[in-house]
Structures are given as C-alpha cells and as structure tokens.
Amino acid sequence: MPMKRIFVPLVLVFAVFVAAAALIEQRRDASSEGASPAASGGPLGLIGSARPDFSLPDLAGGMRHAQEWDGRVLMVNFWASWCIPCRREIPGFVDLQEKYGDAGLQIVGIALDEQAPVERFLSGLGIEVNYPQLLSPDSAGIALARAYGDAMGALPYTVLIGRDGRIEFVQFGELSAAQAEHRIQPLL
Amino acid sequence: MINGMSELSRHSKPARRQVLRLCALALLLASGAAAADGVGGMLSGLGQKLGLFEKEQSAFLMPDEAFVFSAEARDADTVVVRWRIADGYYLYRSRLAFNLQDDARLSLGEPVMPAGKVKEDEYFGRTEVYYGDLAVTLPIDRSGDGAARRVRIETSYQGCAEAGLCYSPISKSVELELPAV
C-alpha cells in the first residue's frame, strides 16, 4: 500500500501549491492600478526605485534637468496634444500645483509632441499652466516614458516621485485631481 | 462482448477505488482553490480599505489587442486593410495613413474609408472615429506593371480607450502578394 501513503501528502502539497498560486495571482491583480497585466510587470517593478534622469527643453527653449526638483514631491505627467484625456487632466493639475506648490509639490509636464501643437493646445486651454511643460518629441520621448514604466507608450501616463527621488505611484490613463491629491498628500 | 464485460467486472473493485481517488483529488484541489480565492478576496478587500491596492480604474488592453490589425490583397489592384476594434476603444479617422513602400512602378490610389461616427468633445470639437469592425479599401494603380508581385504596405493609425487612455501612433508594415492583372 505505498500508493496510499504517498497519495495524501502528494495531494496536500499540490493543494498548497494551487492555493499559493491563486493567492499570488489575486494580490498581483489587486495592485495593478489600471495597468494591463502584460504591461504591469514594468511599472510595478519600478515602484520604490530611483527615478530615471532627464534633461529636456521647456517651451522657452531653456534646458531643464530632473535634478532641479530634487527634494520636492515630483509628479511627471506624460501627454500629447492629440490626446483627449490628457486635456481633461491639466486644469485639475494646475489647481493642485497652486494648492500644494508651497508645501513641496512640483508637477512637470512632458509632451511627447512638437512645440507648435503643444503651444496651440495650451493656449486653447484658456488658463495659465503654472508648472513647466517640457518637450520630448519623436522616439526619445517614447523611450523616456518607457523608462518611467509606460511599456505601451500610451497617454496620459503619470508618475509620482517622493522627496527621496523614489517612484511612489504610476497611473496609466486619466488621473483625476482627487485621485492625484489622495496620492500626493501623504508624500508632502 | 461478454468476455469484455467480464473483464471489466473482474477489475471493477480497483477501478472503483481509482475513481474514488480521482474524485477525492478533484475535491481537494477545488476546495484548496476556493479557500485561496476566499483568503485572497479578504486580503484584497482589506487592502482596498487600507488604500493599499486601490484600483484607480479597470485594466487597459495592449495596443495590438485593442486594435487587431490585418491586411489582404483582394485582387490584382485592391488591398483591404482591416481592424477589429475592441469594445470601449476607437480609432481616429483623420489619423489613418497608408503608404506603398519602395515601388516606383505602382502607386496607391485614394483610400476608401467608410463614414465614421462623429464624436463630440467639449475641447476638441467634432472628430470622426471608428468603433467595432473597420475595413479600408486601397486601390492600387497597376498600369505601370501588371505582373504578379510582392508589395509592402505601411499603415499607421491612432486610437484611444473611452476610459481615458490614448495610444501612441502605431505603424504596421505588411507584405502582400498581388496577383497578375
């Protein structure tokens, strides 16, 4: 009867394995924050890691470097003029910059776009955007968004970085001002 | 036949035991998975209460799943490019572009695009978009060369999810066999 002796422990081991696999799957699903499963491997792995560097021109032509905002809570928002949901986010971000700028929040927009459509787009907003807009057209912009975890090159894409320069939160797609505020407040 | 039946009955006792074992195994596995589900559900429920794994919105598809692309040569001088657009996603009509690659003897005619659905946006105004299945017909001028040949068609397109995400412009390059005219 050695079959019988092996059978019970074997089934138990298998059941534990299935339970563990189901649990891991469940937890991974629960923390995916709007990322598709195929894309979530990238950004979720980035949480807690140091933010990638960038040096990009602003709309006035001056070079801006990520280091100039070291020590502040940095929210990097990737967008483009052809992106409707990106347009919907910006007024709420202007309010957040106004409300929390003195407390240490710095929002930076990175447009994966050319200067002319970006300027047209921003002037069409009818409000003054009170945070820097940097330009990163062509493949360099997509590569930078990818380095920040946007594996699909989809927009808008927003990354929140703590005062220590570590990535705290990423969001695929539209981020409401209320959602952003909820994430920003504990970091200030 | 009878022989067969008796064969079966001779082994019926061990066979029944085997079936019982398999049933027990299936039951154990199912209960294990159900328990894991329950615990996982409790954990994620608790996590959501604590704001640990808060779901900001539903998952988005990868671009090639949202816009399933294909192309075929319908006849000697027509190529059909198709998209199967997932529910909740759309393509912009104005951002469809087609190009016939490296071919001096053939030229691409005006693409025949169906009418899209007009989408009103409070900031962007009226834009024409496609939902569901889309087919665009590309006429090819074969007057320069009527022989069977391979052509390379480059297509670019751009679309978004209604839930608030836009994909970067996507380019696809396909090689097709055009039959002789």
Side-chain angles (χ1 to χ4, degrees), chain A residues 142-185:
Chain A
I142 292 175
L144 181 62
R146 276 186 208 280
Y148 271 86
D150 184 8
M152 298 191 289
L155 299 173
Y157 180 69
T158 304
V159 181
L160 192 58
I161 298 148
R163 291 186 191 272
D164 59 358
R166 300 202 171 270
I167 293 174
E168 293 283 344
F169 168 74
V170 298
Q171 168 77 19
F172 282 100
E174 196 172 342
L175 178 65
S176 71
Q179 286 171 316
E181 188 170 24
H182 169 67
R183 297 287 176 175
I184 290 164
Q185 274 176 334

Side-chain angles (χ1 to χ4, degrees), chain A:
Chain A
M1 287 280 149
M3 246 318 267
K4 213 168 199 171
R5 272 210 302 270
I6 300 168
F7 182 70
V8 172
L10 200 73
V11 165
L12 280 175
V13 165
F14 204 66
V16 166
F17 175 78
V18 168
L23 206 73
I24 289 165
E25 190 60 39
Q26 188 99 21
R27 294 194 63 164
R28 207 174 50 184
D29 276 355
S31 56
S32 64
E33 301 274 353
S36 85
S40 64
L44 287 180
L46 282 179
I47 302 291
S49 65
R51 58 137 184 81
D53 241 339
F54 59 80
S55 293
L56 296 168
D58 60 18
L59 292 172
M63 284 305 278
R64 308 295 292 266
H65 310 282
Q67 301 94 285
E68 71 182 90
W69 300 293
D70 279 353
R72 291 171 71 81
V73 173
L74 182 63
M75 190 167 93
V76 180
N77 172 235
F78 292 92
W79 67 283
S81 64
W82 42 260
C83 164
I84 290 178
C86 301
R87 165 65 181 81
R88 287 198 294 257
E89 288 181 325
I90 293 175
F93 291 171
V94 167
D95 292 344
L96 289 174
Q97 184 60 57
E98 173 72 26
K99 189 171 173 186
Y100 294 109
D102 288 344
L105 173 67
Q106 183 60 60
I107 302 177
V108 173
I110 298 182
L112 308 189
D113 214 336
E114 305 286 342
Q115 178 141 3
V118 166
E119 283 182 340
R120 261 201 311 277
F121 179 97
L122 292 174
S123 66
L125 285 176
I127 51 167
E128 196 194 331
V129 178
N130 54 358
Y131 58 87
Q133 290 292 350
L134 314 184
L135 296 168
S136 190
D138 57 56
S139 56
I142 292 175
L144 181 62
R146 276 186 208 280
Y148 271 86
D150 184 8
M152 298 191 289
L155 299 173
Y157 180 69
T158 304
V159 181
L160 192 58
I161 298 148
R163 291 186 191 272
D164 59 358
R166 300 202 171 270
I167 293 174
E168 293 283 344
F169 168 74
V170 298
Q171 168 77 19
F172 282 100
E174 196 172 342
L175 178 65
S176 71
Q179 286 171 316
E181 188 170 24
H182 169 67
R183 297 287 176 175
I184 290 164
Q185 274 176 334
L187 302 177
L188 290 170

Side-chain angles (χ1 to χ4, degrees), chain A residues 11 30 36 87 153 155 171 174, chain B residues 28 53 57 60 123 164 166 168:
Chain A
V11 165
S36 85
R87 165 65 181 81
L155 299 173
Q171 168 77 19
E174 196 172 342
Chain B
L28 255 165
F53 321 123
Q57 55 198 83
F60 291 104
Y123 309 111
C166 289
S168 302

Side-chain angles (χ1 to χ4, degrees), chain B residues 57-155:
Chain B
Q57 55 198 83
S58 60
F60 291 104
L61 295 175
M62 294 297 280
D64 284 345
E65 298 164 339
F67 313 109
V68 181
F69 172 86
S70 63
E72 69 195 30
R74 180 191 283 167
D75 51 42
D77 50 16
T78 319
V79 166
V80 181
V81 182
R82 294 178 201 280
W83 288 268
R84 203 172 66 240
I85 303 167
D87 282 350
Y89 293 76
Y90 58 88
L91 283 178
Y92 286 106
R93 187 178 202 252
S94 64
R95 296 185 71 89
L96 295 181
F98 308 93
N99 188 22
L100 189 63
Q101 287 282 291
D102 314 320
D103 208 316
R105 285 169 295 179
L106 305 183
S107 64
L108 202 60
E110 192 61 34
V112 182
M113 297 190 236
K117 197 175 166 197
V118 173
K119 192 175 173 66
E120 288 282 356
D121 183 82
E122 86 181 275
Y123 309 111
F124 281 70
R126 290 162 68 88
T127 48
E128 211 172 329
V129 298
Y130 295 112
Y131 294 91
D133 289 328
L134 168 64
V136 174
T137 306
L138 308 176
I140 296 176
D141 181 357
R142 303 293 309 270
S143 53
D145 180 2
R149 54 180 297 139
R150 283 184 91 76
V151 290
R152 179 170 284 282
I153 305 273
E154 198 160 277
T155 304

Side-chain angles (χ1 to χ4, degrees), chain B residues 40-60:
Chain B
M42 259 165 56
L43 258 183
S44 74
L46 185 68
Q48 261 165 24
K49 283 204 183 79
L50 296 173
L52 291 177
F53 321 123
E54 185 184 327
K55 278 209 163 191
E56 303 273 317
Q57 55 198 83
S58 60
F60 291 104

